[in-house]
Amino acid sequence: MEVDNIKLVLNSAFEISKRAFEELYKNEKHLFDNLSNEKVELCRKDVYYHTSFLIQAINLDSKPLFEDYTRWVFELFKSLGIPFESYVTSLNYILTVMNDTVGESIAKVARNFVNDSIEFYKKEEKVIQDSNPLQDYKEQYKKLLLQGDRRSASRLIDELISKRVGVKEIYNCIFKESLYDIGLLWQTGKINVAQEHFFTAATQMIMTQLYPYIFTHQKNGHTIVGACASGELHEIGVRMVCDLLEMDGYDTHFLGANTPAQGIADYAYLKRAKAILLSVTLSINLESLRKTIEVLRADDRLKGLKIIVGGRPFAIDPELYVKVGADYSTTDIEELKRIVEQ
């Protein structure tokens, strides 16, 4: 695939989804008969997000990213009582428009991605809900915080601790997984920004009640800078990693969400950092991450600095870190420490 062609597809996402929805609405009118204008608009946005996630996966040549998005759509649609077939129908209209607008060769690649993701869904449908050993607790935790009940959510985490569930399992299976779900719910307009902010703030507060279970040590001489690339607003994942590293003796400096690339470079140089941790939660921000890494690579002051990336997309596709220009990617704290200390 030619890079220029893929960039054209990325820049055409809005127009492709607009035309696809128009054709869907005209030819599948029965799907909209009982929907309010507000819900029809949400369907329009859904088609845009389907298109955007498909295009991003193609751009990075990563079928696992789109397979994971398809898995998430299945879970969401099931909870809302929406037939999964409506997602497949939308994808077919998107593919038809792509064939007409960006060329048969790219449309063929897109269809291959779509077909493989649907086959993946069919194989995985029976085990999707079982992939997280704390799935029921995760769903309960999400429900409580979406209802604004922080105290009950906190008690739920206390209950897990009393049952001797490890801190790492709570971080990975409850906090990380639920925050990913919430991020997509916000990104696709299923919840508003206030709900997303409350969920994140409440989780950060609840995390603090686990600190007594994590041992602290004296500083070990390794300085690490953590940040989210420009456009990425979901900071809590890399914040959790920095917290755990700090408690293991590392000198960590977390710069927060939506950090400009040059700001990250300047701060890493100022602190003589040995490594930079960069996080992405939503795959649509991977292009921004790639550009951030380009800036870091071009800075002569940072020669030898290790660039380590993490977040949901890299857990889905283990080879993705190479495509964005990073040195390493890991979701395991112990492996991360070994990388830093090499």
Side-chain angles (χ1 to χ4, degrees):
M1 295 180 292
E2 294 293 331
V3 173
D4 288 343
N5 287 341
I6 296 303
K7 286 182 179 179
L8 172 64
V9 177
L10 284 169
N11 293 333
S12 303
F14 178 78
E15 287 301 322
I16 290 172
S17 65
K18 180 182 177 182
R19 286 185 53 182
F21 181 80
E22 289 172 352
E23 291 298 314
L24 176 67
Y25 190 83
K26 180 176 69 175
N27 298 320
E28 311 289 342
K29 189 70 175 177
H30 63 282
L31 296 176
F32 304 93
D33 285 343
N34 299 318
L35 298 184
S36 64
N37 290 338
E38 182 181 5
K39 289 187 176 180
V40 170
E41 184 58 29
L42 288 175
C43 291
R44 185 192 304 274
K45 290 180 179 179
D46 281 342
V47 174
Y48 171 72
Y49 289 118
H50 301 338
T51 307
S52 298
F53 276 89
L54 173 61
I55 287 172
Q56 182 66 78
I58 295 170
N59 183 47
L60 291 165
D61 191 24
S62 177
K63 286 182 182 178
L65 284 181
F66 196 65
E67 289 170 353
D68 185 63
Y69 177 70
T70 296
R71 175 196 291 261
W72 179 82
V73 169
F74 164 74
E75 292 180 335
L76 175 65
F77 279 21
K78 183 177 181 180
S79 69
L80 295 175
I82 301 173
F84 184 77
E85 289 71 21
S86 64
Y87 172 62
V88 178
T89 300
S90 297
L91 290 176
N92 285 329
Y93 279 95
I94 292 168
L95 292 172
T96 299
V97 173
M98 289 183 72
N99 189 75
D100 294 340
T101 57
V102 298
E104 185 176 344
S105 60
I106 295 177
K108 184 177 180 180
V109 173
R111 184 168 293 280
N112 184 257
F113 270 56
V114 167
N115 289 342
D116 283 357
S117 74
I118 299 304
E119 287 302 311
F120 171 83
Y121 151 74
K122 290 178 180 177
K123 293 176 183 177
E124 295 293 311
E125 181 180 5
K126 295 181 180 179
V127 299
I128 281 177
Q129 297 297 336
D130 298 326
S131 60
N132 182 343
L134 299 177
Q135 176 74 19
D136 290 342
Y137 284 102
K138 183 197 83 169
E139 293 301 326
Q140 188 177 351
Y141 180 82
K142 281 167 48 181
K143 181 178 180 180
L144 289 169
L145 286 187
L146 285 174
Q147 292 173 343
D149 191 351
R150 187 180 62 213
R151 290 182 177 83
S152 294
S154 177
R155 286 196 293 270
L156 178 67
I157 299 304
D158 283 338
E159 177 187 339
L160 289 173
I161 290 294
S162 70
K163 292 181 177 179
R164 299 186 182 279
V165 177
V167 171
K168 183 182 293 186
E169 286 74 21
I170 292 173
Y171 266 52
N172 288 330
C173 299
I174 303 294
F175 297 152
K176 186 172 75 173
E177 291 293 319
S178 65
L179 286 162
Y180 172 73
D181 291 349
I182 292 302
L184 279 176
L185 287 172
W186 168 74
Q187 186 71 29
T188 53
K190 304 300 184 298
I191 62 173
N192 61 42
V193 68
Q195 290 173 291
E196 193 266 349
H197 283 182
F198 175 82
F199 196 103
T200 300
T203 296
Q204 288 175 311
M205 183 173 294
I206 292 170
M207 282 167 50
T208 63
Q209 73 194 56
L210 299 180
Y211 284 4
Y213 301 96
I214 303 174
F215 295 104
T216 60
H217 299 280
Q218 292 182 344
K219 299 303 179 187
N220 59 20
H222 297 296
T223 300
I224 301 172
V225 171
C228 297
S230 179
E232 179 60 60
L233 301 177
H234 301 89
E235 65 179 50
I236 194 169
V238 67
R239 182 187 291 274
M240 287 193 291
V241 172
C242 286
D243 282 350
L244 292 175
L245 289 172
E246 184 76 27
M247 294 174 188
D248 279 344
Y250 293 81
D251 183 17
T252 65
H253 298 259
F254 178 63
L255 306 185
N258 193 27
T259 311
Q262 193 58 53
I264 297 173
D266 292 342
Y267 196 87
Y269 172 71
L270 177 67
K271 294 299 179 181
R272 299 294 190 269
K274 189 169 184 179
I276 292 180
L277 308 181
L278 297 173
S279 176
V280 162
T281 297
L282 299 175
S283 62
I284 55 176
N285 291 320
L286 287 167
E287 179 63 15
S288 174
L289 175 66
R290 186 187 65 78
K291 291 179 179 178
T292 294
I293 293 174
E294 282 186 352
V295 171
L296 298 175
R297 295 290 190 207
D299 195 320
D300 290 335
R301 301 172 301 170
L302 304 179
K303 296 301 182 184
L305 183 77
K306 295 174 182 176
I307 300 176
I308 307 168
V309 293
R312 178 79 177 196
F314 300 100
I316 299 304
D317 185 350
E319 300 303 317
L320 191 58
Y321 77 96
V322 177
K323 300 170 186 176
V324 297
D327 296 312
Y328 306 95
S329 175
T330 180
T331 59
D332 182 80
I333 289 291
E334 295 305 317
E335 183 181 5
L336 176 57
K337 290 191 288 189
R338 287 193 294 271
I339 291 170
V340 171
E341 294 177 15
Q342 286 176 355

